[in-house]
Amino acid sequence: VMDFNEGQGDILDVSDLLSGFGGGGASGDITNFVRFTESGGSTTVSIDANGNVGGSNFVDIALLNNDTGLDVATLYGNGQIIA
């Protein structure tokens, strides 16, 4: 993904990829379902489709080119990650 810009309100919609997100406890913690990993000036977006159920199994789904310093919980709280 080129030119993702959280400051301009860009959104990551991963809702179709997640199962069981929402509610209280671990199923409501977005960081159990979405992870960002920085490398080489870019950020890899990974998801674990069912969160903590069945152990951790994150799969890379996107690379945000030339964008770092992102925080999953902050973006979710700002409505920029749709789960």
Side-chain angles (χ1 to χ4, degrees):
V1 176
M2 293 296 292
D3 299 323
F4 180 84
N5 188 321
E6 66 281 2
Q8 294 180 353
D10 288 349
I11 294 173
L12 295 173
D13 185 345
V14 296
S15 59
D16 287 342
L17 305 175
L18 305 182
S19 173
F21 176 74
S27 66
D29 184 350
I30 190 65
T31 61
N32 290 329
F33 292 83
V34 180
R35 175 173 66 189
F36 294 156
T37 307
E38 294 181 7
S39 179
S42 296
T43 299
T44 299
V45 180
S46 307
I47 62 144
D48 184 335
N50 61 3
N52 285 344
V53 175
S56 181
N57 188 28
F58 282 90
V59 177
D60 298 346
I61 61 163
L63 179 67
L64 306 178
N65 289 308
N66 302 316
D67 202 354
T68 59
L70 302 173
D71 180 74
V72 171
T74 300
L75 288 181
Y76 179 71
N78 291 341
Q80 292 178 274
I81 294 178
I82 298 173

